[in-house]
Amino acid sequence: MPVLAVGGLILALVLQLFLPSGAAAPEASSVAARRPRPLVVPPLPEYAAILAKPIFAPDRKPGAGDLSATSGGELAGYAALGAAVGHGVAAAVVSGPSGSIRTVHAGDVVEGWRVVAVESGKLTFDRNGVRHTLVVGAPAEAITKAATPAAEAEPQ
């Protein structure tokens, strides 16, 4: 019995090899064949420029742009790293000149400056009627607004 099965399989294999198949060959198409794109490697000097200024380096700062340094008193060395604002809750993360990081809320005092407002893009401080704003993400040296009297900062 197994010999007959093996013989039948061999006969089927021979018939498949020698008899033509019923499928016709595909006809020529008017569509051009796809050609692979050539591999383009950027020149090595571009890699050196990228390595010279890595994106996530701790000392990387944005360009000068329109930002101007101000005499913000003790806040000149501070930077707003981020802010979270929700329904009735607002907090911000601030880094100090010594590299210390702390979370502040409206009403907290930092180096004699009271936090007046925490918004998603900026923090507003007040000391003796003088307002000072830290923009979230701006480096400590580039505070966007000069210290202004509180009466000028808030339109009535």
Side-chain angles (χ1 to χ4, degrees), residues 74 111-114 116 125-132 147-151:
E74 293 86 24
E111 299 289 335
W113 291 86
R114 186 174 56 87
V116 177
F125 294 86
D126 179 62
R127 179 172 71 180
N128 299 330
V130 176
R131 292 280 170 116
H132 196 81
T148 58

Side-chain angles (χ1 to χ4, degrees), residues 8-124:
L9 289 174
I10 291 175
L11 180 62
L13 177 66
V14 170
L15 288 174
Q16 284 183 356
L17 292 175
F18 291 112
L19 292 178
S21 67
E27 294 183 21
S29 174
S30 63
V31 177
R34 277 187 123 176
R35 293 190 181 127
R37 293 183 192 171
L39 179 64
V40 178
V41 178
L44 290 177
E46 290 180 20
Y47 290 130
I50 292 170
L51 292 175
K53 294 183 180 182
I55 295 173
F56 297 109
D59 60 343
R60 185 175 172 110
K61 297 176 183 167
D66 295 338
L67 303 178
S68 60
T70 62
S71 60
E74 293 86 24
L75 287 179
Y78 282 84
L81 301 177
V85 180
H87 296 290
V89 179
V93 179
V94 178
S95 69
S98 63
S100 62
I101 296 175
R102 66 184 271 195
T103 303
V104 295
H105 300 83
D108 290 352
V109 177
V110 177
E111 299 289 335
W113 291 86
R114 186 174 56 87
V115 180
V116 177
V118 177
E119 299 174 23
S120 62
K122 65 181 179 178
L123 283 95
T124 305

Side-chain angles (χ1 to χ4, degrees), residues 129-155:
V130 176
R131 292 280 170 116
H132 196 81
T133 302
L134 292 179
V135 175
V136 174
E141 296 80 19
I143 299 170
T144 58
K145 290 187 179 179
T148 58
E152 294 176 14
E154 292 182 13

